[in-house]
Structures are given as C-alpha cells and as structure tokens.
Amino acid sequence: MAAAAAGGAGQEKQLAPALLSFFIYNPKLGPREGEEEKKILFYHPNEVEKNEKIRNVGLCEAIVQFTRTFSPSKPAKSLHTQKNRQFFNEPEENFWMVMVVRNPVIEKYHKDGKPVIEYQEEELLDKVYSSVLQQCYSMYKLFNGTFLKAIEDGGVRVLKERLEKFFHRYLQTLHLQSCDLLDVFCGISFFPLDKMTYLKIQSFINRMEESLNIVKYTAFLYNDQLIWSGLEQDDMRILYKYLTTSLFPRHIEPELAGRDSPIRAEMPGNLQHYGRFLTGPLNLNDPEAKCRFPKIFVNTDGTYEELHLIVYKAMSAAVCFMIDASMQPTLDFCRKLDSIVGPQLTVLASDICEQYNINKRISGSEKEPQFKFIYFNHMNLAEKSTIHMRKTPSVSLTSVHPDLMKILGDINSDFTRVDEDEEIIVKAMSDYWVVGKKSDQRELYVILNQKNANLIEVNETLLMTGWGRITTSSFAGSGSCVAESSGSLTTPLSVSAFSAAASSCFLASSAFLMAISLSSHKQKFILVYHCNKFMQTYHRLK
Amino acid sequence: MATGEPGSPTREGMALPQEQAGLCPTDTGGDELSTGPEEQEELLAPQSNGPVRPADGQGDAQEEPSDKELSDSASTDNALEDSSEFGRPLGVGACEPGGPLAPPTHRDEDVTAASWRARRKHIFVLSEAGKPIYSRYGNEEALSSTMGVMMALVSFIQSGDNAIRSIYSDDRKLVFVQQGPLVLVSVSRTLQSEQQLRQELLYVYYQILSMLTQVSITRIFERKKNYDLRRLLAGSEKILDRLLNLVESDPGFLLGAVRCLPLPASLRDALGTLLQKAITPNLVFSILVARSQLVTAVQERAVIEECRLEPTDLHLLLNLIGASSAFQAGEIWTPICLPRFNPDGYFYAYISYLDAECTVCLVLLSTDKESFYAVSDCKKRVEEAMRTQGSLQVLSGGLQSPSYGVGQVGVPDLRHFLYKPLDIPENYRQLPQFTSPELEGPYCSEEEQHRLFDLYHYLHSRIHSTSRPLRLIYHVAEKETLLAWVTSKFELYTCFSPLVTKAGAINVLTKLLRWIKKEEDRLFIRYPPKYSTTPNPGKGAKGGRPDGAENGFFAGL
C-alpha cells in the first residue's frame, strides 16, 4: 500500500500519506527555559533526538500562540506546509495533541536517474484527519480516563506511562492512507429491525439486567451493527468503533479458521449454546482462568464512571455488559452469566437471523444499483454506507474512485460552513454525478453511475429509482436508533410513529424526504414541505 | 527599452511606414521637443504641486532632493550609499501633502482591540528581515512584533527544508506567500480558498512591483537586508488599500478577466480605429477606459506576438490610476511596471482623463521614456477625433446610467451572473473578458454583497480546484440557488432565487445563454484591434538594468 505503482510514461512511484510524528505536550509543565523537555508527555517516534522534539513542540506552541493574536478563543487547528500537515487538538485544557502527516508524494525519475519528489499538497482533507486525531483522544480516554485523572492518580509519570502504553499500539492501527468521510462522522451503523424482534431484544436485556444485577449498562449488537445501547451517545460511538474495528475482527478470524469451536455441549446442565466471552475468561472450566476484563471510562464530563467491559457473543449477536469497576467479577459470576445469557442469546440470534432473511426476501434481491450512498444523522449518529464494502481495522475498502471520496469530503466541509439546509450537486471531471444533501442534522451523499446524464435526468433518476428506498431504509436504521438508544424514546409508540412516517415517506418517494424529524415538532412541517416540492417536480415531469 | 538610447528611437520612428507618416507628423517631432518647456507649463499647470511631471531633463535636478530626503530622514542603518539607485517612483500619496487624503482611520486602529481582530481580512507585507512594509489595518510600527513572529515562523519551517503555506483555525485562514525578499500574509475570515487568498497576495505583490520592479526590490535587499521599504512606498498604502477593496468587490480579479463597457459594436470599432491611427513610435498599448470598464484596447502587433497584455496588469494599472486623485489633473507621464508582462522593466505610461468628470481615461504605454510629447500628441488626436465623432458624450453619457440590469435578460428567477467567454476569436491574444449585470435586489448592502461574492469565490474554488476540478456545481441554499458551469466555450456563475427548480434553472440558463449570444458584440471586444509602431520593439526594459539615467528619471518623479 505504501508504494502503489502508478503507470504512465517513465518510472513514477506514488507514496500514500503517512504518519510522520505524533506528540502530546503541556506547556505548563515546563514553563522555564531549559526545562522544555518536561512539557513533552509522549513523542512518537521516540528515537527522535531530544532537541528536535523540543523544537517541534516549540513550533506548535508558537503557531497556537500566534493564531490567538487574531482569535483568542479559536487557535490553530492545522498547519499546512509543502511537505506535510500538522493537526492540533487541545482535548483538555493545556494538553495538546499533535499529529503530523506527510502529504502524498509522487516520485518521478529523470532520465539521468535522479529522483524528483513532488508533494501533493491538496490531497489531505483537514476535517478527516482532525477527526482522526480527536478519535485518538476519545479512544485513549475510553480505556484510560482523562489526562488530568492520570496526573491526579500518580503524577506526570503515570500519565506518561499510560500514554506510552496506549499509543505505542494504537498508532499502528491508524492507517492514514484509507481515512475518509466515515472517519469524520465516526457514526454507528444500526441494525434495521421489525417491531416484534426489537421488543424481544428489549425484554431479553431487561431480564438480563435483572438476573445479573450488578450490570450497570448494556449494549446489544448484531452483525456488527448496533441495536440497543444504554450508554451515552458519545461513549457508545467510541466503544462501537473499538468493538467493530478492533475487538470483533480479532475474533472473527479464529472462527473462520475453524479453531476454537464455540459449541460447548460438554457443559453440564446447560442447553447447547454458542455463547462465549470475547473479553475475560477463555475457558470457564479452567479453575485458574483469570476473570480480567478491560476497564473503560464513561461519562468523563460528569459522573466519571469506571467500568469493566464484558463482551459476550453468540453467533452474530453480541452483548456488552458493563459493571462498576469497584465490583470484581469472579469466575462464578462469569459462569452464571454464561449459563443464563448463553442459551437465550443463541435463541435470540437465530430469531434475528430468521427475521432478517425474511425481510431480505421481501425487499427483493439487490440488483446492481444505479447509485451508491453514505448517510449520516447527527442526532443519533446513525450511519450507513453502500460505498464501503468492508471496514476492517487495516483497510477500508471503497467501491469508488478515491477522488470521488474526496469530493464527498469537500461537499461535507462545505455543509459545515452554515447551519442551514443545503443541497449540492456536482459533476466531476470523470463525469460522475455526486449529490450531497444536508437537511435538519441529516446528511446524505449519493454517487450516481450515469455518466451521460444532464442535471434534469439526474434529478429524474433520483426520483424514479430507489431513492425513496434509500431514504426509508437508512431511515429504518436511524428510526430504530432514536427509539432505542436514547432511552427517553424507548416506547413502542415511537417505533410505530417512525414506521408511519417511513411509509408516508415511501409513498411520496420524494427525492429528499429523509428530512423528516422524529424528535422535534418540525416533523409535520418538513414532511409537508417536501411533499409539496415533490408534487411540483412531479407535475413538471408529467 | 532596448531601443531606449536617447534620441535614436525617434529617428528610427521617423522611418516608419507611410500610412503612419500621415497621421504622425514625424517632422514635427523635433519642433515639439523644442517647444516643449512652454507647452509643458501650459499643459501641466497644476504640476508644481502635482505628483508627476514629464521627464524632460529635470530628472537630474530632482534627484538631489530625493536623495537628501532619503538620507535625512533615515535612521542611519537605512541610509543607502547610493540612494539614487532606488529613486522613488510615483510616490503618489507622499506628493500630495495638501491633498484630500482619505480619513486615516485604518492606519490608526488600535491593534489590540477586538474590532481590529474582527476584521474580515488582514493583509501584511514584510521583508525577510521581519521589517513591516504594509498592513491593511493598524499601524505597521505597532504590528512589528506580530510581523516578527510571522517571519520567524516562515524561516523556522524553511530551516527544515520545507515551506509554510497556511494555518487554519475554526474561523480563519492564515496564508503565507514568499516572493523574493518579501513575505505576504493574509488573515481571512472569508470563504475564499487558500488558492484564492494566495492569488490576492500575489496581486498585492505585483502592485508593489508595478511601482518598484522586481530587480530593484531584489537589489535593495541584497544591499541592505533590513532596509525599510516603506521609504520607497511612502504614500502608496492608499493604492494597496484600494486594491484590497477592489479585489473583494470586483469579480474581474477572481476570474482573471476584464470587464468591458457594454457598447454598440460600431462605436467600439470606431474608437478602436481611432486609437489605431493615433500612434507614435514605441507606443505599445493604447487603452481607453470608462470608469474602470474597458472600452477598447489596442496592442502593438509585434509585442503581443511575444506576450499578451495580462488582465492582472490592466487591473493593477487601473487601480494605480484610480487610487490617485492627482492623476485627474492634466497629463501624467510616469514609469510603470507591468509585472506579469515583465517584472523587471518599466513602461512609460501617459495617463489623461478626457472629460471634466474624470470618467473617461486614456492610457498610452510607450517603451520610450523620451516620447512624452509624441504620446501627448497622440492623445490630442484621439481627443479631437472623439469630439468630432461625438463619441465622448456618448461614453460619459452612457455612464450616468448603470451598465445594465439583470432584468434585461428577461427571466424572473435569475438574480445575478458572471459570464466569461472562452470562445472569443483569437482568444489567445485577447484580454480575457467577463460580463455581469449591476448588483441589485437583495444584494444592495455591503454585507449581502460580501456574502454573494463569498459564494462566487466558493464556487470558483471548487470548480477550479487544482486537485479535484469539477464541470458543474448546482448548489441549493436557503437564500439562493447557485450554479457554476465550465465548458470549452464559457465559464458561467449564476445566482437564482431560492425557489427555482432544477428544470427551472436549466430553462433560465438556456435563455441567459441565448441573450448573451445575441448581445455578445455589445458586451465584449470580439476582434481586438492592433497596430504596428516599431519594427523591433522591446519588451519593456526586458533584462535591462535600470541605468543611471533612468534612475535619475525615476527619482525625478
């Protein structure tokens, strides 16, 4: 990946963007001259000479200070140079995280054999990499708590140890060459469900929380998609990222390889079930098995809770149980959990699977669609993409040209300039049409596969093809999410309200009906507005 | 200026082809020179307190005071051994001490105040030694530490074999441009892209070059790294201030094109022919403008074969003229550099307004610094012919009313547009042009105008993105719907009312394009006139080092 050869005349080598350095400092820790090194809490790569580290940290301080001349409360976010970009993030007061990314490079060879290096300065999207940097902090915080907490726990030394331990591994998983719009959203993919199955899951969770009374929060996922979460959104978002890009992929491979067969019929007194721990004890029959679960920190702005994260999985269904860190889960507890959760989750997983297959049959077989899309809802973080074939920890495979992905990124950053609703349709040099729509906290991006169409035909296609289906199906994801994850809206009523809205949305099949809002009073208004717009267009088309 | 040996060009000029001999009475050349002094007094009556005077040998006399002034006021480190080398050209503002200067509000601004920080766009120019040269708002002295930090950032990153481009914060872009020994910095809250801000900084740089030339700036700083360039630019802040205001309101800078005054093709052709006839040796460009809109421009055939007149150069020239009320008096003869044409050489510009209201202006550019009287004579002929034709009244009369309203196109949903044709015959030798109607409707307040131009800037930056250019953008927002479209024939930016539908917009577009096609002879210069004045004209003072005589001349100004 680092050196993908690009064809063409002469030798030409293309180098993907790469992490040059990553450091964390606090200017208050070494305010006096000669003690600058004390400011540095973490520096990657560590081999860099001390003075070089001090110089680079000094530059960042200078940049931040300088931009405060013009806007005291909004200092620098990024520095662009010919060769690289630096991203600044101050997640906690006076704690600065800096990520330096090298611009992509084209290496050409002259006839005389001398390499000529050309930096592509416009390729990296600021929003994408700033988001990656923010997520670095969120992920650290999920497993370690805040920087300040570490200093309170044991001073700068402890903080440095934790940073070293965490980032040493984490930085290797960044894969900066394949970051895109989805990193900006850092959203959650929701599993679309019918009402009955959803209620079954909810009652399962209620029963489990009752039987295992030390459980503080629960989250339920199927097929790497979220169905239920009791956590706050921002905590769930980063936990979801950890589960889907790190923990689950690590455990898929053994299953595929046929090892570690999950069927444990030998468990006495238990029904056959497929349940197993993804965190914690590997073998419950081993009396020496250690019941050590990863610790996570949630609600760090408020109650600051430290929790054990127990992830338990049966077939495609996974449940996260979070219990207070002061309670040490014993082997007995784990066995109890396994015996209660295992069989029920196995049944539930096959129920969901069956329902899922029925739904798939009803909606018909998927033909090669005329378009691909990304959808994101800022209110509930729901995200859906048909552009990304698979997001693994190592690479995100997209089915479209990288330039088109960057155009999506450009449209996204155009949307963030103003709060108003906007729609942008562009035609790329490659003749692809790319459409972006922002409406009431929702964003939808579509890439159309109709190269020779004109603007009106594009509009027609958006109306006539399955655009209505896109909006309903992505809506289904978001609807179940609103209903399930926010806690305040967990009544079946909101679910049916959602389906009513969804069906009217389907009926109207208007291009941009995704705008319907479930949570606000705007709902009716927006629906009416868009229907009108649709009717206008419809009449004109006739 | 290759032929710029005193005396000789006129001789050569006299041997020009016959058809010109009739129009340009070469034998009077000598007479005119001899009658020069009286005529000059007559022509340039207000000259004693005016800023610019023709070079007629007084240059040497003028050199001294200028020299003295330089060293007198110089803190010793700035005293140049040979200050005549860097004679002050133009010096517009400085030379009108009693003139009605614009209220000096911006310069006196408190640079620590929130209102200073809240400015839409700051522009700073500094030297490599970190010395302040220009600041759009606030006093350069008060900003010297800020500019010092800017220079420190530039050189720190340079020391790592790298180059700083920009800094982004949530609400601002800070863009750095280094050009020779100058560093230019923009701090902007507008929607403009980094590229566009960089382009603007280059406009500022080129405007400085238009007064000093690149070679002399380079030489100054080679001699003295911490030279205070403000000494040479004293008074020209006004020119840069005006440029920066223009850049934000005149789409010509964004599009790299000039706006033509809408005129019947027959009148434009007649005026072109007039300019074509009123020539003298070494004349290279004749430009007729009316309130900063181009009426017609005639170019020397041999010169444009080498290099065409760039819109940037014309914008800068017109800005320079517009910035100084002193130019409104009588005739001006001044050296000027067209930096895109040749950053190192001077042309000699003859500038004269043809009407009392100072709306119609004739600019004649020559490569011969001695040709004031000959060029002045050309103007007289143009003026006379225009009077006979009655075209002057038509021109200045036409300016009373706004150029044209978008209503003339006759489609209700259309609010405003910018159109730049790319299919002008002989386009490659032609000044790129554009047309747009007057701003009206919701875009009357300055705030709304800024908002609309911000949107145009945004469309332009996306469609012309260096890494990801687009063919078309259709943007629906709350207050308006916009469309940008680039084809091989034109570049078009349109602003519709927000309720327009896609089909409606296409319909409007079809009508607009049809209207422009119908009007194109009126809106654009279709066939640019040319003339030949010199068998072998130089390209300004290409490669020429300003020699002693020339410098005396500049100092004299």
Side-chain angles (χ1 to χ4, degrees), chain B residues 236-263:
Chain B
S236 56
E237 294 92 344
K238 235 172 65 173
I239 298 172
L240 298 178
D241 290 349
R242 185 176 186 273
L243 174 75
L244 291 169
N245 289 335
L246 265 186
V247 159
E248 283 187 11
S249 59
D250 181 350
F253 287 89
L254 171 69
L255 298 173
V258 295
R259 188 201 292 270
C260 295
L261 182 76
L263 273 186

Side-chain angles (χ1 to χ4, degrees), chain B residues 103-160:
Chain B
T105 46
H106 297 344
R107 292 273 112 62
D108 295 348
E109 233 174 89
D110 177 6
V111 302
T112 56
S115 60
W116 182 83
R117 288 197 294 265
R119 288 284 185 187
R120 233 170 91 85
K121 191 189 289 160
H122 285 280
I123 301 285
F124 306 95
V125 184
L126 46 144
S127 73
E128 265 185 319
K131 281 232 177 205
I133 294 171
Y134 169 79
S135 164
R136 188 179 185 188
Y137 304 112
N139 180 283
E140 297 98 32
E141 250 8 285
L143 289 163
S144 62
S145 68
T146 305
M147 297 210 209
V149 175
M150 291 174 183
M151 195 55 230
L153 291 178
V154 170
S155 42
F156 183 91
I157 288 166
Q158 216 162 34
S159 71

Side-chain angles (χ1 to χ4, degrees), chain A residues 52-162:
Chain A
E52 179 72 12
K53 289 180 183 171
I54 291 172
R55 270 168 58 88
N56 290 335
V57 167
L59 172 67
C60 297
E61 283 187 74
I63 298 262
V64 165
Q65 205 47 48
F66 170 59
T67 46
R68 289 211 158 113
T69 316
F70 299 98
S71 137
S73 59
K74 288 177 180 166
K77 276 287 178 65
S78 71
L79 166 71
H80 296 203
T81 69
Q82 180 203 4
K83 295 185 177 173
N84 58 50
R85 290 219 186 150
Q86 310 201 2
F87 300 92
F88 311 105
N89 182 25
E90 187 189 19
E92 294 175 36
E93 201 183 350
N94 291 317
F95 286 94
W96 286 87
M97 298 173 80
V98 181
M99 177 168 81
V100 187
V101 183
R102 190 199 59 212
N103 281 325
V105 174
I106 295 182
E107 211 176 57
K108 290 175 183 158
Y109 289 95
H110 264 308
K111 284 180 196 125
D112 56 7
K114 272 187 195 158
V116 182
I117 284 176
E118 201 179 280
Y119 290 90
Q120 296 180 287
E121 300 182 32
E122 305 297 318
E123 291 301 312
L124 299 181
L125 300 178
D126 269 16
K127 260 191 99 181
V128 170
Y129 292 92
S130 293
S131 306
V132 168
L133 181 58
Q134 278 165 24
Q135 283 154 33
C136 285
Y137 172 73
S138 302
M139 198 62 93
Y140 167 86
K141 196 182 69 174
L142 179 69
F143 291 104
N144 295 279
T146 60
F147 294 154
L148 202 62
K149 181 70 173 18
I151 289 192
E152 282 167 12
D153 286 354
V156 174
R157 191 185 49 83
V158 167
L159 175 60
K160 280 185 173 173
E161 279 169 12
R162 286 185 188 168

